Amino acid sequence: MSAGRPALRMGPAELVQAAAMARRFYLEGKSKIQIAEEFGVSRFKVARVLETALERDLVRIEIRVPAELDAERSDALRARYGLRHAVVVESPAEGADESPDPENLGEVAADLLGELVVEGDVLGLAWGRSTIHMAAALDRLPPCTVVQLTGVYDAGTAERGSVEAVRRAAQVSGGEAHPIYAPMLLPDPATAAALRSQTGIARAFDYFDKVTVAAVSIGSWEAGISTVHDMLTDEERSHYASLGVEAEMSAHLFDAEGRRVGRDLGERCITVEADRLRRIPEVVAIAGGQRKGAAIGAVLRSGLVTSLVTDTAAADFLLHDFAPGPRPALERKDPDGE
């Protein structure tokens, strides 16, 4: 309808016909051609009537998602970073800047896994508070095998639960569970290598190349927000900080450009290798909070993540204060070989 043109009044017959056509089209799913045949008019007339029904407010189209989901940010984040799936949930009303990984991220991630996993998949779970929350919230999964991707982090806190998370997911799916009963970080590479050769751990590692969907967490390089950071000595933290560490995921360290640094640390860890992680078809990262924004961005730049569940605080940072970069080489070549 052109600007300034007065709206033509619709008579009762026109209103009834427009309502009937709208009902056929929007509620019953009939095509414009089918509606035209039923009412004895052209499909162009049907199109005009449907357009008029929208203009006259006879039909209202609403796109509604649950209140905790932000569809606009989700779509913008997916497009900006080339993700397969991006789901943004509302940050807590208070403390959004201080509380990384709100528990509702795990609940939404659990629903997402229920969509992504199909019968016969191999689901890999890496240690992380958000993945533990996710596993606790799982209420549906098709039959699949569940394998643990990292060793456990035991700091004498209530945050433990990676083995329990694997068992919980397997219980929900009715599939096999392959947990790893070993620490994530060992004192030296030799001890780590010896543990990897043990039967139960080796069996779990054999499944790494078969994983089709993985759920991982992301930590920024600071106390309380990075598992690895908290397990290291002050001297070791300073050393890796000097390499420019911005983020940690599954015991792998990344600089701001998304390149992996500190390869020597990986030799001491029980975890899925970065190149194996890159070959997994679907890697869902679960991380949120403004304090984790730069870390999430660094991992997205690495190209190891295909989908993301986050919150509005982190999403706003990623959309306005951070920019995707070209996918780097997985390893950064440091002068000292680290």
Side-chain angles (χ1 to χ4, degrees):
M1 190 178 300
S2 61
R5 179 179 176 183
L8 296 177
R9 181 178 178 181
M10 295 180 73
E14 290 177 303
L15 286 169
V16 170
Q17 185 184 68
M21 289 184 175
R23 178 175 294 278
R24 304 290 194 279
F25 186 73
Y26 292 109
L27 299 183
E28 299 176 12
K30 291 188 176 181
S31 70
K32 293 174 183 176
I33 293 177
Q34 290 174 315
I35 297 169
E37 291 176 350
E38 178 181 348
F39 286 87
V41 298
S42 72
R43 62 185 177 90
F44 302 105
K45 172 65 179 294
V46 173
R48 286 196 300 272
V49 170
L50 293 175
E51 183 179 352
T52 301
L54 286 170
E55 292 174 350
R56 303 297 176 84
D57 215 21
L58 293 177
V59 175
R60 296 181 182 181
I61 298 176
E62 293 183 340
I63 300 174
R64 303 180 64 183
V65 295
E68 70 271 14
L69 298 183
D70 192 308
E72 185 175 350
R73 284 185 176 95
S74 298
D75 187 56
L77 201 60
R78 178 199 57 76
R80 183 173 177 82
Y81 289 90
L83 296 167
R84 189 170 296 131
H85 304 282
V87 182
V88 178
V89 305
E90 288 291 335
S91 298
E94 297 181 0
D97 294 346
E98 300 298 328
S99 302
D101 300 341
E103 289 193 24
N104 61 341
L105 291 186
E107 297 169 2
V108 173
D111 287 341
L112 179 60
L113 280 192
E115 289 183 72
L116 299 181
V117 176
V118 299
E119 184 173 352
D121 271 345
V122 177
L123 172 63
L125 299 181
W127 192 95
R129 295 175 183 87
S130 55
T131 52
I132 291 171
H133 292 153
M134 179 207 68
L138 282 172
D139 59 9
R140 63 185 177 101
L141 272 180
C144 65
T145 299
V146 186
V147 61
Q148 192 170 322
L149 297 179
T150 63
V152 300
Y153 169 48
D154 183 354
T157 72
E159 304 294 354
R160 291 173 290 179
S162 49
V163 170
E164 289 80 0
V166 168
R167 293 196 176 282
R168 165 66 181 168
Q171 180 184 32
V172 172
S173 74
E176 295 181 2
H178 294 277
I180 293 178
Y181 296 100
M184 181 187 295
L185 179 66
L186 282 304
D188 53 71
T191 304
L195 278 177
R196 291 189 202 105
S197 66
Q198 289 188 358
T199 303
I201 298 174
R203 185 180 299 116
F205 268 65
D206 286 342
Y207 273 93
F208 287 177
D209 285 329
K210 303 173 185 176
V211 173
T212 49
V213 180
V216 301
S217 296
I218 296 172
S220 57
W221 195 244
E222 56 181 302
I225 308 186
S226 164
T227 301
V228 173
H229 182 282
D230 292 345
M231 289 190 291
L232 297 175
T233 65
D234 289 341
E235 182 180 357
E236 289 170 328
R237 291 170 190 151
S238 297
H239 166 67
Y240 293 115
S242 72
L243 300 180
V245 174
E246 184 72 58
E248 173 255 318
M249 180 178 70
S250 303
H252 300 296
L253 309 182
F254 302 87
D255 67 11
E257 301 304 316
R259 297 170 297 192
R260 194 162 74 96
V261 296
R263 295 192 302 276
D264 60 322
L265 181 67
E267 295 172 358
R268 295 168 50 194
C269 292
I270 302 297
T271 185
V272 59
E273 299 94 328
D275 58 346
R276 277 180 162 178
L277 197 60
R278 175 160 279 173
R279 292 196 296 267
I280 297 174
E282 182 73 79
V283 178
V284 180
I286 313 160
Q290 191 175 56
R291 292 170 65 186
K292 279 194 178 183
I296 297 169
V299 173
L300 291 181
R301 282 177 170 173
S302 76
L304 294 178
V305 168
T306 60
S307 297
L308 176 67
V309 178
T310 190
D311 66 350
T312 52
D316 284 343
F317 176 86
L318 293 168
L319 290 171
H320 305 298
D321 301 315
F322 198 83
R327 175 169 158 176
L330 184 58
E331 307 285 350
R332 189 179 78 185
K333 301 300 182 182
D334 298 303
D336 60 359
E338 298 178 351

